[in-house]
Amino acid sequence: MSAMSGLLIANDTIIIKAVGTWGYFSNYPKHEGPFWNQHIADVTAGEIVGEIKPQDELGLRGFEIMHLLKNGVFDFAFGLPAYAMQESEIFEGADLSSLVQHIGVQRKVAAAYFPTLERAFSEKYNAKLMMLYPFPSQMIWCKNPVNSIEDLKGKRIRVFLTTLGDFVEGVGAIPVSVAYHDVPDALEKDRVDCVITGTMSAYTAKLYKLTPYGFTLRVGWGLAFGAININKWNLLSESQQTLLQKEISTLTDNMWQETATEDAIALACLSAGPCSLGETGNMVLVEPSEADLIKRDKVAADVILPRWAKRCGPECAANWNRTVGTILHLRAEVPAK
């Protein structure tokens, strides 16, 4: 009888197979992994059991993850909206380069754009968007001194998103697409002069040994998502859905709070310290001046927003203006032909 009851319990258990972001960045080991591998089983008394591995361990690329989520091979995925841009540029809209300098504002932007992304995930990927959360902010790390935006002119700068390329071209520099793993090699072989990556990833990759200079203009947030396959979601009871949403809401809050703290820790560790993580990088960090921010505003208005509006279309731009635009007091207009 005990074996039979064990079988019944096993049959009632819902297993959620998930894929995370990168195992070598802190979001996975600190948050994504523990949430699915342990926490969700604990809070549901084993009704829902998660299994997750990071995408680098699985050897998957972003667009593959979205395809597998859509088809139910994975039930839940964490990832970057850039993974979904093959389907629509609408996915770029919550993290357009350089528009947001403060994490509190970025959270408001994410909340304002959430319903837009929720519709897009449902229509394009048969997935329910559950959360948006940031990686530490993306800044510019260079081999030679950068004291202003003007000093970026002519430099070859590593990018990993279209909107970052728009920023780089807008300031008169040259975007070079390089995978994160290949960044040290690209620097050593002089393929790039500067690198855009997050504050904490710059520290953990020891970029300070190759790029002694940092320009701390925030050019993006590496905003990420968590989404569940709708067929799987529909298998959950109403009480299970409510509980999962509540737990993911708490996870989201924790990740926003930690990213704000991580930014400060990483910048201290990259420069003169004190550093709670290990050695100090002794980078020279330069904050953008008022003149730099004025120049950034001009690049945003003249290059970043019009290019994105052209890629995404008039309806998409109008929706952005009603949501994110009202928070940032900016407008995305499709350029006249």
Side-chain angles (χ1 to χ4, degrees), residues 233-300:
W233 173 255
N234 290 337
L235 289 179
L236 301 177
S237 68
E238 199 171 317
S239 62
Q240 287 171 335
Q241 289 177 349
T242 302
L243 186 142
L244 186 56
Q245 270 190 309
K246 175 175 164 287
E247 292 299 326
I248 284 180
S249 177
T250 302
L251 176 69
T252 305
D253 286 341
N254 292 342
M255 291 170 100
W256 279 94
Q257 286 162 14
E258 178 133 12
T259 290
T261 312
E262 273 206 349
D263 243 5
I265 292 168
L267 288 171
C269 287
L270 285 165
S271 53
C275 181
S276 56
L277 304 176
E279 67 178 354
T280 52
N282 295 309
M283 265 190 185
V284 176
L285 301 183
V286 174
E287 289 188 20
S289 66
E290 203 57 46
D292 289 325
L293 293 176
I294 290 166
K295 170 76 173 171
R296 183 277 318 256
D297 290 346
K298 184 165 173 49
V299 171

Side-chain angles (χ1 to χ4, degrees), residues 28 63 65 80 145 149 151 162 166 179 188 201 209 229 272 319:
Y28 181 82
F63 70 91
I65 289 168
L80 301 184
I149 278 187
D151 290 346
T162 307
D166 292 340
E188 284 168 354
S201 58
K209 293 180 188 278
N229 176 280
N319 172 68

